């Protein structure tokens, strides 16, 4: 599997993870800032949360890591949490904005 195919599978896995308080997956919410694929199928994900005081701060990164680890051929998964830049609603996809009634 090449890097592009693997990245597509990573995005698909991430889209199975939802913020328990919002009915939209974390990818469409715009919480994923970066996905990098390194040699031998190591995955690095840089993400944020809607707020530093998000009650799901402990569970969402762990859920993302678990979902990505389930992809066949993945060696390692590293999920890093950042609040720089801070999350803003305009980071949401159009799909998320429609689902949440912002459009």
């Amino acid at each position: 599997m090449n890097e592009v195919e693997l990245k597509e599978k990573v995005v698909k896995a991430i889209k199975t993870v939802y913020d328990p308080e919002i009915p939209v997956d974390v990818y469409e919410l715009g919480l994923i800032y970066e996905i990098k694929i390194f040699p031998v199928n190591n995955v690095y994900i840089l993400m944020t949360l809607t707020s530093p005081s998000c009650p799901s701060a402990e569970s969402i990164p762990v859920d993302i890591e678990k979902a990505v680890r389930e992809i066949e051929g993945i060696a390692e998964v590293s999920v890093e949490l950042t609040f720089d830049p801070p999350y803003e609603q305009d980071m949401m996809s159009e799909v998320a904005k429609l689902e949440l009634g912002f459009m």
Side-chain angles (χ1 to χ4, degrees):
M1 168 175 9
N2 67 37
E3 186 176 322
V4 172
E5 292 170 331
L6 184 56
K7 192 168 184 177
E8 287 174 5
K9 287 187 177 199
V10 169
V11 169
K12 188 175 179 180
I14 291 170
K15 285 183 165 203
T16 66
V17 179
Y18 285 74
D19 182 320
E21 299 177 344
I22 304 170
V24 177
D25 70 76
V26 296
Y27 189 85
E28 297 295 343
L29 274 176
L31 300 183
I32 306 301
Y33 286 167
E34 185 175 23
I35 299 169
K36 288 185 180 178
I37 309 294
F38 293 103
V40 198
N41 297 340
N42 293 309
V43 178
Y44 169 80
I45 300 164
L46 180 64
M47 66 167 295
T48 193
L49 296 169
T50 54
S51 155
S53 60
C54 174
S56 300
E58 297 288 323
S59 63
I60 292 175
V62 171
D63 292 346
I64 289 171
E65 182 179 343
K66 284 180 185 175
V68 173
R69 280 191 187 278
E70 290 179 8
I71 300 169
E72 187 176 335
I74 292 290
E76 289 294 323
V77 179
S78 173
V79 178
E80 182 180 347
L81 195 56
T82 185
F83 293 100
D84 183 28
Y87 180 79
E88 296 180 11
Q89 285 184 355
D90 64 346
M91 294 175 170
M92 283 187 235
S93 70
E94 286 188 16
V95 170
K97 289 177 183 176
L98 281 169
E99 181 69 32
L100 296 173
F102 292 129
M103 289 183 83

